[in-house]
């Protein structure tokens, strides 16, 4: 079992729909990242969370440390939101710096 | 500052050849990371530098792989005697102090034919 599991693996929705992508992890963490990757490979960091909730525009990220679970929500989805969304965690072990990634969720928003 | 730069963007090489990739991090960032991403998968950690010191290497980094960051600024990743299984996207990222979010480069896509 991977340390970081995302669901769903693929998600297709209509423009305007509310989107939720889930991330569960099995290790103690110091931080969780949500990342966006467009075709061509470039990765953009959307959020870094260690507790609670963060909002940026139409994107909202939440984390429940006790349940080892995070969600990424997109409100009023738009075709330009189509991308792969990746959850990644940084271990709570002192000195740990590397990220462990989920396999990604491929989101397609149809007009 | 233009973010994290990686060069080249694409590389096609014949099996058995050596290749070298370069990463220029954000200038204030003291930490630099290399990851590898194969098709349909999330990135996997390869190695990490703090300044010029290579502090961690993954078991994925076989003897054919070597990474350097000689002056604590740019880094190079060399793959010797490339194999078809080395075909992947090689991603570089940098951060400062470990508390800030990562900044990723656009990656170098390697195809070994």
């Amino acid at each position: 079992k991977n340390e970081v599991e995302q669901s769903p693996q693929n998600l297709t929705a209509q423009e305007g729909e509310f989107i939720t992508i889930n991330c569960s992890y099995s290790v103690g963490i110091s931080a969780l990242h949500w990342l966006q990757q467009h075709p061509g490979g470039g990765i953009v960091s959307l959020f870094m969370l260690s507790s609670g909730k963060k909002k940026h525009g139409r994107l909202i990220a939440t984390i429940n440390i006790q349940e080892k679970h995070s969600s990424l929500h997109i409100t009023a989805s738009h075709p330009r939101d189509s991308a792969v969304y990746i959850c990644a965690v940084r271990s709570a072990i002192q000195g740990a710096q590397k990220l462990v990634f989920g396999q990604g969720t491929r989101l397609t928003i149809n007009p | 500052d233009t973010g994290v730069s990686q060069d080249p963007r694409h590389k096609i090489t014949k099996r058995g050849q050596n290749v070298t990739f370069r990463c220029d991090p954000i200038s204030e960032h003291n930490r630099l990371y290399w990851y590898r991403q194969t098709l349909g998968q999330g990135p996997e950690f390869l190695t990490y530098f703090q300044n010029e010191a290579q502090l961690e290497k993954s078991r994925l980094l076989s003897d054919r792989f070597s990474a350097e960051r000689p002056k604590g600024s740019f880094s190079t990743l060399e793959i010797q005697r490339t194999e078809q299984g080395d075909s992947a996207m090689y991603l570089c990222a940098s951060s400062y102090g470990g508390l800030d979010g990562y900044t990723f480069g656009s990656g170098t896509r390697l195809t070994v034919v």
Side-chain angles (χ1 to χ4, degrees):
Chain A
K1 191 177 187 300
N2 293 334
E3 290 177 296
V4 182
E5 295 276 355
Q6 287 185 235
S7 63
Q9 288 194 338
N10 293 282
L11 178 56
T12 300
Q14 291 300 120
E15 183 174 357
E17 287 189 38
F18 181 82
I19 302 299
T20 296
I21 298 170
N22 295 301
C23 175
S24 296
Y25 53 91
S26 57
V27 296
I29 68 168
S30 60
L32 181 143
H33 298 249
W34 279 103
L35 309 159
Q36 180 192 57
Q37 187 171 33
H38 280 285
I43 290 181
V44 174
S45 180
L46 300 175
F47 296 104
M48 184 177 74
L49 295 162
S50 54
S51 66
K53 176 178 173 179
K54 286 190 176 180
K55 184 176 189 293
H56 182 69
R58 294 180 295 106
L59 301 178
I60 303 165
T62 64
I63 188 168
N64 184 318
I65 297 292
Q66 286 73 30
E67 295 189 3
K68 293 186 165 62
H69 182 269
S70 176
S71 293
L72 177 69
H73 305 286
I74 305 175
T75 62
S77 59
H78 190 276
R80 65 174 174 268
D81 297 325
S82 298
V84 176
Y85 292 84
I86 305 173
C87 169
V89 302
R90 192 182 318 175
S91 168
I93 295 172
Q94 189 174 5
Q97 295 298 327
K98 69 183 182 187
L99 295 181
V100 178
F101 292 78
Q103 77 276 30
T105 294
R106 182 174 299 278
L107 175 65
T108 304
I109 303 296
N110 293 319
Chain B
D1 198 345
T2 55
V4 178
S5 299
Q6 290 190 246
D7 184 66
R9 290 293 306 274
H10 300 94
K11 177 71 177 178
I12 300 174
T13 191
K14 290 184 178 178
R15 192 173 51 180
Q17 297 294 306
N18 299 344
V19 293
T20 300
F21 311 140
R22 176 179 170 124
C23 171
D24 287 87
I26 291 174
S27 54
E28 312 86 74
H29 284 185
N30 60 345
R31 292 186 166 132
L32 186 147
Y33 314 82
W34 284 99
Y35 292 88
R36 181 174 71 184
Q37 185 179 27
T38 53
L39 206 60
Q41 301 297 314
E44 296 173 293
F45 172 77
L46 291 179
T47 190
Y48 140 67
F49 291 86
Q50 180 166 311
N51 301 314
E52 66 273 13
Q54 188 174 19
L55 296 187
E56 188 174 353
K57 289 172 60 173
S58 163
R59 280 171 287 182
L60 290 175
L61 220 64
S62 76
D63 291 345
R64 297 184 297 106
F65 287 70
S66 63
E68 295 183 343
R69 194 183 183 199
K71 297 180 181 178
S73 56
F74 73 91
S75 175
T76 57
L77 178 68
E78 181 183 15
I79 309 174
Q80 296 183 325
R81 305 181 303 282
T82 51
E83 302 172 356
Q84 285 190 316
D86 298 331
S87 295
M89 174 76 81
Y90 290 83
L91 291 160
C92 177
S94 68
S95 70
Y96 179 76
L99 297 178
D100 290 350
Y102 279 40
T103 302
F104 283 86
S106 298
T108 294
R109 184 171 296 282
L110 173 66
T111 302
V112 181
V113 297

